[in-house]
Amino acid sequence: MDNESREVKAKSDWKQSIKPSSKIFFLNSDIVRLEHHNRANNVCILYNFIKDKEQTMLYSDFKKHRKRAYLVTNTLKIFKRSRIQYERWIKKELIPPPTGLTPGGKRVFGKLAYYSEDDLFTIRSILATIHTGRPRKDGRINARKDVPTEKELRSLIGDAIMLYTRTKSGEYVPVWTEETW
């Protein structure tokens, strides 16, 4: 192949998956921070924000049962919504509020707040049931076109295998596929 005919794309043009927090996780619906882990002894020390105390557990159990945590700003990027719309939905109690890094998990100004993987799928299913536009005579729901499917959401958070295909114009577009074994 001729390397001169290929176009080099900038890193900003690459579509990357949304990165979860590397130190904050959800464990049994509590938000925890991984303080220290010793792989040789299979022990880890966690700080539980909800209970406001340190906990020790087996590192292998922690890796099995942890759920990734996503900042509110990352959640807004995943669902392509503005912060104003997001706050309206929380006030109307359409979507659950995020879990804050305070005792009890309440969201407070100046403290970070996170959503778990399960919360993202709950928000996706709620957004898929919100009707847009003029009401239909038959009563069916017209969801917005930019609400991601479950496969697309899995891919955005980094759980799915991405397959790209080349269009006639030379662009690479993702083709959503399920994992194959």
Side-chain angles (χ1 to χ4, degrees), residues 27 34 36-46 55-66:
L27 186 69
L34 180 63
H36 177 74
H37 74 277
N38 186 341
R39 212 179 82 204
N41 291 334
N42 195 26
V43 174
C44 67
I45 299 171
L46 308 169
Q55 297 174 331
T56 304
M57 71 181 303
L58 293 176
Y59 186 58
S60 57
D61 287 345
F62 171 70
K63 285 176 68 175
K64 281 182 198 172
H65 300 292
R66 70 182 176 188

Side-chain angles (χ1 to χ4, degrees), residues 81-90 92 144:
R81 298 293 189 270
S82 68
R83 183 170 284 280
I84 295 169
Q85 184 67 45
Y86 165 78
E87 294 294 336
R88 282 186 200 144
W89 287 337
I90 290 178
K92 289 181 183 178
R144 288 180 61 153

Side-chain angles (χ1 to χ4, degrees), residues 127-147:
L127 291 180
T129 61
I130 296 175
H131 180 76
T132 58
R134 188 170 156 217
R136 291 174 53 135
K137 290 182 182 178
D138 58 3
R140 293 186 181 162
I141 294 174
N142 281 344
R144 288 180 61 153
K145 303 256 187 249
D146 59 352
V147 175

Side-chain angles (χ1 to χ4, degrees), residues 15-153:
K15 289 190 177 183
Q16 295 180 350
S17 60
I18 305 295
K19 303 269 186 211
S21 175
S22 61
K23 294 286 182 183
I24 307 290
F25 298 95
F26 281 87
L27 186 69
N28 300 331
S29 73
D30 288 347
I31 191 163
V32 297
R33 178 177 57 222
L34 180 63
E35 295 284 334
H36 177 74
H37 74 277
N38 186 341
R39 212 179 82 204
N41 291 334
N42 195 26
V43 174
C44 67
I45 299 171
L46 308 169
Y47 178 73
N48 190 326
F49 288 98
I50 305 292
K51 297 176 183 171
D52 196 26
K53 65 178 183 178
E54 279 193 354
Q55 297 174 331
T56 304
M57 71 181 303
L58 293 176
Y59 186 58
S60 57
D61 287 345
F62 171 70
K63 285 176 68 175
K64 281 182 198 172
H65 300 292
R66 70 182 176 188
K67 300 276 184 181
R68 291 176 289 196
Y70 293 88
L71 281 168
V72 172
T73 54
N74 290 343
T75 305
L76 296 175
K77 288 178 187 176
I78 289 171
F79 294 111
K80 300 175 187 164
R81 298 293 189 270
S82 68
R83 183 170 284 280
I84 295 169
Q85 184 67 45
Y86 165 78
E87 294 294 336
R88 282 186 200 144
W89 287 337
I90 290 178
K91 284 182 184 175
K92 289 181 183 178
E93 297 180 355
L94 288 176
I95 62 172
T99 306
L101 294 182
T102 58
K106 294 189 179 179
R107 195 171 75 151
V108 179
F109 180 77
K111 296 286 184 182
L112 295 176
Y114 290 88
Y115 278 111
S116 70
E117 295 175 37
D118 298 334
D119 292 336
L120 293 181
F121 284 99
T122 303
I123 292 171
R124 192 220 70 82
S125 64
I126 291 169
L127 291 180
T129 61
I130 296 175
H131 180 76
T132 58
R134 188 170 156 217
R136 291 174 53 135
K137 290 182 182 178
D138 58 3
R140 293 186 181 162
I141 294 174
N142 281 344
R144 288 180 61 153
K145 303 256 187 249
D146 59 352
V147 175
T149 63
E150 286 188 25
K151 290 179 187 178
E152 290 172 342
L153 182 57

